[in-house]
Amino acid sequence: VYAVTMTLALMQLFHQYFNSSPQSLLMRNAGLAAYTVYIIHLWVMNVCVVIFIEILKAADVAIIWNTMSKHFIPYSTVVGEPPVPALLSDGVL
């Protein structure tokens, strides 16, 4: 319910306040810089993953780098004895 309500509220907000013609200087520059998001997205996400892994390591959660994985999950936690790769709380790192 929250996601639908927030989506509709954001659509109304941007339609009402940021959808003008001619565009303001801020909106014109934001439109021109939109491609920059695609360029820097990879770097920002990698930094977030590294920070998250460091937080997990500080909490004594064992993290391994699985280079032989057939799936697109290179990071996983280790549980049990002998250590077996497992997902963290049924999620993906």
Side-chain angles (χ1 to χ4, degrees):
V1 173
Y2 173 78
V4 173
T5 306
M6 187 55 70
T7 301
L8 293 174
L10 286 172
M11 287 174 58
Q12 178 63 30
L13 172 84
F14 279 89
H15 173 73
Q16 189 170 349
Y17 295 106
F18 298 109
N19 191 20
S20 61
S21 186
Q23 287 185 330
S24 67
L25 182 62
L26 174 66
M27 289 296 109
R28 187 172 30 238
N29 289 334
L32 293 174
Y35 184 69
T36 306
V37 172
Y38 295 106
I39 295 171
I40 65 171
H41 179 260
L42 176 67
W43 298 101
V44 172
M45 290 305 297
N46 283 338
V47 167
C48 290
V49 167
V50 168
I51 290 171
F52 183 60
I53 288 174
E54 291 301 320
I55 290 170
L56 290 175
K57 285 182 180 179
D60 292 330
V61 176
I63 304 292
I64 62 168
W65 173 262
N66 190 0
T67 57
M68 299 303 207
S69 177
K70 296 178 184 172
H71 308 287
F72 294 106
I73 306 172
Y75 304 104
S76 60
T77 60
V78 180
V79 294
E81 196 57 49
V84 177
L87 296 177
L88 181 66
S89 301
D90 296 326
V92 177
L93 295 179

